[in-house]
Structures are given as C-alpha cells and as structure tokens.
Amino acid sequence: MSDSVRLAHRIVLAGDVGGTNTTLALVGVNGTSAAQARFQLLDRTVLKSQQLSGIGQAIEGARNSLDAELLQRIDACCLCAAGPISNNRCTLTNLQWQIDGGEVAAELAVPTTLINDFSGICYGIPILFRQAPQQFTAIPHSDGSTPAGAGSVITVVGAGTGLGVGYLTTLADGNVTAHPSEGGHSDFAPFDDQTMALRAFVAGQHQGVPDAECFLSGPGIANLFDFLVQHETWQQSAARQRILARPRAERPEMIAANAAEDPLCSATMELFVRIYAKFSSSATLHFLADGGLFLAGGIAAKNQRLFLQQHRFMRYFEQNYRANIERLLHRVPVHIVGDYTVSLYGAAYAAVRQDQNKPTSEEQLS
C-alpha cells in the first residue's frame, strides 16, 4: 500500500449509477476542508447495470472486488444517480431501480447521500481542473484567445446518452454548490433554415414537442443522420450501408467513427457540433457563466477534433445579433472534459461537504 493511500485522512465510497454502468469507487481524501482537500481515486469497479437487480447487488459486487482493507475504512458514501432526488431517494430514469439513501446507509453503516448524476459531474470539475488540468482541452475563441475564468459561476453541458445541463457557484469560503436542472428537456431552438426543417422532421417522428435532447445526444445523432438522408442527396457508400444495417442504438458511435471519411457522417457530426454550440451559448447566457463553460459527456471527449477544426464550435457559440453579448461570450473560457471519472470525484466532494453540515442543492430543494 502506497504512502498516499496509507496516510489518507479519510476514505469515502463514491458511486455513479447510470442506465448502462454502475461504478463504485474508493476515494482517498487528504485535508479536513472539502474546499481545500485533495482527492485520489484509489480503487474502483464497473458493473453492468442491466445485469443487477438493484443497488444492493451493486454494493455486494463492490465488496467482492474492491480492496477489502480500504473498504473497511470508509466513513461516508455518496451516490450519483441518473434521476431526480427527493428526500435522499431516487427513482432512476433509465433503470427499474429505486435507491433509498437511508437503506444504503444502514447497509454500509456510514452516512450516505444521493445526488443527481449531473451534479456529480459539476462538483467534480473544479477538483479535476485543479488537480489534473491536462484532462481538459481548451477550445480557443475565433480570435485564437483562451481567456481565463473571471467569475464564480460555471455552466456544464453534457451530451451523451442524454443531455445534461447544470451550473456551479463558488462560495466565499471556496466551497462550491452544484445546481441541477432539466435544461436538456427544454425546447429546441432552430437558428437557420436547415435547423428549422430539422425540427419539423424530428417533431414528425415524436409525439409532442421535441426537446433539445432529441438533437443533442447519442439518439440525437441518429436523428440528424436520418434527417440528412431524407432531405439531401448523397452518393451511396459502404459506411452508410453498414450504419443503416445496424440497430439504431449502435448507429451514433458508427456515424462519429466514420466522420473523417464519409461525407454523410461528416455532415451529421458537423451539424451536431453547430447545434451543441448554439445550445451551449444559450445555457451560458442563462446562467451568466463568467467562470466558464465545460462540455462533459463522451461525445465531446471522443470527438474533440470536430469541435476544434475551423473554429467549428466557437464560431456558432459566439454568434449573437447584439455586439455587447458577443463581447461577453468572447470572454467565456470553454473546455472539453476528458476524464470520465469526474463524477466520482464530485460524489466524494459531496460526501465530505455533507459531513461539514453543508447540504447539497438536492437536499435544499427536497
């Protein structure tokens, strides 16, 4: 056992429970203040959520695979769950699970807090940005500048299986508070003739009004691809045939993987980036994010080239008909988050902060 592990001030169990995977990790915490502590990922296990009956079986799996000596040292637990939190309970959006923080606390014999999965990402970003800045990629503005954040509000937008939106505020004592939202389900706002036609197309495929997640997510990529297939003329290609032959859930990753060679896939991903930029610009203005915008989620992390090339993302992010708003957006630093474990650091932070009797935003609202 390394000195850093042996000398850890405390160890917490951090978890991220999603529709695909459930990850449980042991995180070492050095320091008594959450705002100044250093967090270290010591051990983790990744389980397939669909193969589990519930969080109890996940905890049992963690007991069988995580370091037993470290596991005995945990003094708190925090789980990020993909669903709304109320009274320390969560009914997951993409799993037939209910998680009760009180029941988990009784099982582990340590205080347990539940937070929204996107809150976990928000809490984790300042920790990783401080400890591992190399895990972030700055997107330069159209003039080549990469401004430093000058304020206390950060916006986080993350497109992956779904679309997450949240913001983070820094308090006078250096602690941060994550504010969850359902911004990913806000209305989609077309911004040119193509996106107006796109909205009409997607609306025809869904009952009701399509939200932003219908365009900015893995399933959203499939929607954009279908729209371009039906509304523009493309030469037949082997990539297109392979994609259309696969189940719909597998297509987004294939579309992104073929974007460098196949014109239809390239056009799909370029349209996706433009929509991502306009939506992120609006979110930045909603929260007046003078501290910066962070793009989380696997799509941006795996396709950074598409965001950076020809200032594709930034040209649309900066657009506004008012010159003073364009100047404001030019001052906002924008980064892509490259570390998928960010939510585990955020869960560990929330566990420590809870012990300091500073409730998370979910608890304040419940």
Side-chain angles (χ1 to χ4, degrees):
M1 184 180 296
S2 69
D3 287 343
S4 61
V5 174
R6 184 164 41 83
L7 298 175
H9 179 259
R10 60 187 299 189
I11 295 175
V12 301
L13 180 65
D16 188 340
V17 183
T20 303
N21 293 321
T22 293
T23 303
L24 294 171
L26 297 170
V27 181
V29 184
N30 283 296
T32 56
S33 166
Q36 303 300 325
R38 184 168 183 84
F39 296 81
Q40 181 182 5
L41 193 61
L42 305 177
D43 195 9
R44 64 170 168 157
T45 184
V46 181
L47 306 167
K48 294 296 182 183
S49 299
Q50 299 292 340
Q51 298 175 8
L52 302 172
S53 60
I55 192 62
Q57 189 177 3
I59 291 171
E60 186 62 29
R63 284 179 168 142
N64 293 332
S65 57
L66 295 177
D67 186 289
E69 183 179 347
L70 296 180
L71 193 58
Q72 288 184 345
R73 290 178 55 191
I74 65 169
D75 61 10
C77 172
C78 179
L79 303 176
C80 307
I85 310 296
S86 178
N87 296 318
N88 211 26
R89 295 182 179 90
C90 179
T91 299
L92 275 79
T93 303
N94 296 316
L95 279 177
Q96 299 299 313
W97 291 15
Q98 289 187 337
I99 303 177
D100 186 317
E103 292 179 358
V104 176
E107 174 72 17
L108 295 172
V110 298
T112 298
T113 302
L114 300 187
I115 62 174
N116 176 264
D117 59 337
F118 214 72
S119 291
I121 292 173
C122 290
Y123 278 128
I125 282 173
I127 296 170
L128 273 181
F129 200 68
R130 182 178 72 244
Q131 294 184 183
Q134 71 276 10
Q135 297 293 340
F136 297 81
T137 300
I139 301 182
H141 280 264
S142 56
D143 61 1
S145 65
T146 53
S152 60
V153 181
I154 289 171
T155 293
V156 185
V157 179
T161 304
L163 176 62
V165 182
Y167 71 104
L168 191 76
T169 51
T170 302
L171 308 178
D173 62 0
N175 277 294
V176 295
T177 298
H179 305 273
S181 83
E182 291 296 340
H185 298 294
S186 59
D187 287 347
F188 173 65
F191 50 88
D192 59 15
D193 290 344
Q194 184 185 42
T195 51
M196 283 191 282
L198 170 64
R199 185 190 181 282
F201 170 79
V202 174
Q205 311 299 310
H206 294 75
Q207 292 184 349
V209 178
D211 61 16
E213 188 177 82
C214 293
F215 307 85
L216 284 179
S217 61
I221 291 174
N223 286 335
L224 304 189
F225 184 85
D226 290 346
F227 165 75
L228 291 174
V229 166
Q230 295 193 28
H231 285 74
E232 298 185 20
T233 302
W234 305 93
Q235 290 186 343
Q236 285 290 345
S237 70
R240 175 182 169 182
Q241 291 176 337
R242 287 195 303 271
I243 291 166
L244 292 175
R246 301 303 301 166
R248 187 174 179 81
E250 297 178 15
R251 294 178 187 176
E253 188 171 354
M254 296 178 68
I255 294 166
N258 285 277
E261 294 83 20
D262 183 80
L264 173 57
C265 294
S266 176
T268 300
M269 294 307 297
E270 289 179 9
L271 177 57
F272 177 84
V273 171
R274 294 199 301 272
I275 295 171
Y276 208 152
K278 293 300 294 180
F279 181 85
S280 298
S281 180
S282 295
T284 299
L285 294 173
H286 285 155
F287 303 125
L288 199 59
D290 47 4
L293 166 70
F294 288 83
L295 305 180
I299 298 176
K302 294 175 183 176
N303 298 280
Q304 296 188 24
R305 175 186 60 83
L306 292 169
F307 286 74
L308 297 168
Q309 278 184 342
Q310 303 171 353
H311 295 291
R312 183 175 292 117
F313 178 91
M314 195 55 72
R315 283 189 291 111
Y316 281 81
F317 175 81
E318 294 172 341
Q319 282 182 355
N320 196 280
Y321 83 101
R322 296 180 65 96
N324 62 320
I325 300 300
E326 282 197 340
R327 289 193 296 270
L328 185 155
L329 291 168
H330 270 83
R331 297 195 298 269
V332 175
V334 182
H335 291 84
I336 296 173
V337 183
D339 192 330
Y340 299 148
T341 65
V342 60
S343 61
L344 299 174
Y345 288 92
Y349 173 89
V352 174
R353 193 165 178 221
Q354 171 66 17
D355 283 355
Q356 296 174 353
N357 297 317
K358 295 178 178 177
T360 63
S361 53
E362 283 89 351
E363 291 169 319
Q364 292 167 343
L365 293 171
S366 65

